[in-house]
Amino acid sequence: MTALDRALRFIARRPYTEKELHAALARAGVTEAERESAVARLRELGYMDDLEVARTRARTLLERGAAPRLAERKLGEQGVDAAQAHAAVGEAAQGASEAELLARALHKLLRGRAPAGDKERRRAFRALVAKGHRPSQVAGALGLSWEGDDE
């Protein structure tokens, strides 16, 4: 099986960034020259588009409650350059501010109801901070006091 055949099999399953496809082909034992050739051919055919992959993943991340800064970082880890990641996340946010995205994530997490008590507030706080939201904003949204650093 050629490197191009392997690459086509990979992208038939799901979209890959160029960095991810290079890594997958390397794990499959494809040489660097063959990887470069296969990726270049896929790009030439229009099958590789890091910006489109970034757009799709940014929408998914924000829909799942991730903060824009976490979404950008994850896209960067997947091989999307910073400018493309920022553009994709901005497009996925559709003009919503960080506070609006936090409110959506909180609404989704609590299924539209108010937290039942302090234990649930703390659980929601941890979950939203883990999704990249700023602790001070999360604390404010949940009615908790916060005196720590946002980073």
Side-chain angles (χ1 to χ4, degrees):
M1 179 179 302
T2 69
L4 183 59
D5 291 336
R6 284 185 192 268
L8 285 167
R9 281 183 175 222
F10 284 126
I11 66 171
R13 289 187 209 124
R14 71 170 180 87
Y16 281 75
T17 63
E18 288 186 27
K19 178 181 176 182
E20 290 172 324
L21 187 57
H22 272 282
L25 290 170
R27 284 190 303 274
V30 177
T31 67
E32 186 173 347
E34 291 173 320
R35 289 192 311 260
E36 288 293 333
S37 175
V39 170
R41 181 67 178 140
L42 292 177
R43 195 178 322 111
E44 180 182 309
L45 293 170
Y47 294 160
M48 296 295 306
D49 186 355
D50 283 1
L51 183 56
E52 189 55 39
V53 172
R55 285 179 179 137
T56 302
R57 290 186 183 167
R59 274 192 306 272
T60 300
L61 287 165
L62 294 184
E63 286 170 4
R64 291 180 178 170
R69 65 189 188 147
L70 177 67
E72 285 184 32
R73 190 177 81 229
K74 284 189 176 240
L75 291 172
E77 291 169 358
Q78 295 170 338
V80 178
D81 75 52
Q84 286 181 330
H86 184 73
V89 170
E91 186 178 305
Q94 298 175 337
S97 68
E98 278 190 53
E100 290 169 323
L101 293 171
L102 170 61
R104 289 181 199 167
L106 181 59
H107 185 268
K108 184 175 181 173
L109 179 68
L110 296 175
R111 296 183 182 104
R113 58 179 177 70
D118 283 341
K119 184 176 180 181
E120 190 170 30
R121 276 187 182 82
R122 289 191 302 272
R123 183 186 59 81
F125 177 85
R126 287 189 304 272
L128 291 169
V129 169
K131 289 183 180 268
H133 294 282
R134 298 183 191 283
S136 62
Q137 290 180 335
V138 176
L142 289 168
L144 299 171
S145 63
W146 177 258
E147 296 177 15
D149 187 15
D150 262 352
E151 299 305 321

